[in-house]
Amino acid sequence: MNTKTLSFTLLLLTATGAAAQTAREEIAANRYLAGSNYLDYNRQLTEKPLTPAPKGYEPYYMSHYGRHGSRWLIGEGDYTKPLGILREARRDGKLTAEGEATLQKVEAIYRTTHKRLGDLTTVGERQHHGIAQRMVEHFPELFKQKNLLIDARSTVVTRCILSMIAECEELAAANPTARIHNDVSDSLQFYLNQPWEGKVKKYGRTKQYIHDQYKRKWTHPKRLMRVLFNDEEWVYNNVPTGDLMRQLFDLAGNMQSHDSSIEMFSLFTDDELYDLWRQRNIGWYLDYGPAKETGNGIMPYSQENLLRNIIETADTVTTPQATLRFGHEVCVMPLACLLEMDSCGVATDDLDHLDDYWRNYRIFPMGSNIQLVFYRPKKGKEGDILVKGLLNERETTLPVNTDQWPYYRWADLRQYYMEKLRKAKE
């Protein structure tokens, strides 16, 4: 059995369980999952306890990359495009009662966005306080070390900086002796938010037509248009029905980013939510996942510089410390794929059934993070350096063999990843 197959088999046994649900079933049970990258981190928390450290070992280093927390939508048009259509329908007397109620919701949402596009919300700030609290709870031997060194760095985007501050505030409260260094600079962007370049740039988005094909295949707006509008001919002549359905879906998904009573998922049936979500799932897979359609799986290498930084920084660590990096989902997702955490690195020829193997909401909710926790023998003991990988605080499989999962020999992982990066240059 090869490593990828082994990892995927372990995923099925350890991560999803013997009676694993389909994506359709998971979304029906928890509609917030349909939000994909808008999923509130705190709506996907695991209750499964972490595996204790092997006997005679203790954590001494954490290497981390985390996405910013929940935010407002980034583009003005994300709000104004559906708003404009609904307002035009109101002027022409074409809204149903449900259409009018939907317009009022969209107007109320839009009023909150003035000079707030892309900003971190209070929900996002709360996510990062919780993540840091659990870091301390899970690894007190590390995070309560006297004079612990914490190197925290962020991209230059405000929501990322504020996410970093929220976590550092919590870590400082738990350990007043911690020596925390914060850094924000364009000079860090090459690995904290690496741009597409080389082969990745060449193949990036070259298969947009595939995504468009699935958008047409899985967007069924007819029922929703009848719910919102009272004149089918007017809709035919005035409304880009598929676009409007997807725009309202995005607004519905992102409402979990706010402390608000406004709810819009009820506009959609379970089947519609599932179909709209899996369009997004395929789109993210093509753009950042190991899709064969994009350079035979080249897109995760967009995070080559980040992985090199993780390895090179770990090579320098001799005393207890933590390296915290803050950025975006377009880094967390491909990094998880590049690291081959659980099924993130699995490629399939069957995009119609992609979600049998690869589900974006497991990888990159708001506040998503990767934690690599390094363990060494306690004083007076001997042994290899071990590493445990956590994706959104869940223990993951990694792409080398081990006889003590979820712990892996760092020497094996390091060799595997360095060889992987080397081959990508050929």
Side-chain angles (χ1 to χ4, degrees), residues 192-211:
L192 287 179
N193 193 12
Q194 181 178 353
W196 281 356
E197 54 191 21
K199 292 180 183 178
V200 172
K201 186 175 182 179
K202 176 182 177 181
Y203 289 103
R205 303 189 189 280
T206 57
K207 303 300 181 183
Q208 181 62 40
Y209 73 90
I210 298 177
H211 189 201

Side-chain angles (χ1 to χ4, degrees), residues 61 63-68 151-161 164 181-197 288 300-310 312-313 323-335 368 370:
Y61 176 53
S63 185
H64 155 284
Y65 188 97
R67 182 193 182 193
H68 59 75
D151 183 32
R153 302 184 175 200
S154 168
T155 71
V156 296
V157 179
T158 303
R159 60 182 173 272
C160 300
I161 299 169
M164 174 179 69
H181 170 70
N182 295 113
D183 199 1
V184 178
S185 171
D186 280 326
S187 68
L188 307 176
Q189 292 288 97
F190 78 97
Y191 73 88
L192 287 179
N193 193 12
Q194 181 178 353
W196 281 356
E197 54 191 21
Y288 296 99
Y301 289 88
S302 64
Q303 300 313 302
E304 174 187 356
N305 290 343
L306 178 54
L307 179 52
R308 288 189 185 280
N309 178 265
I310 288 170
E312 291 170 0
T313 304
T323 302
L324 308 181
R325 309 169 185 86
F326 294 86
H328 308 268
E329 81 267 52
V330 296
C331 303
V332 171
M333 171 170 279
L335 177 62
S368 55
I370 292 170

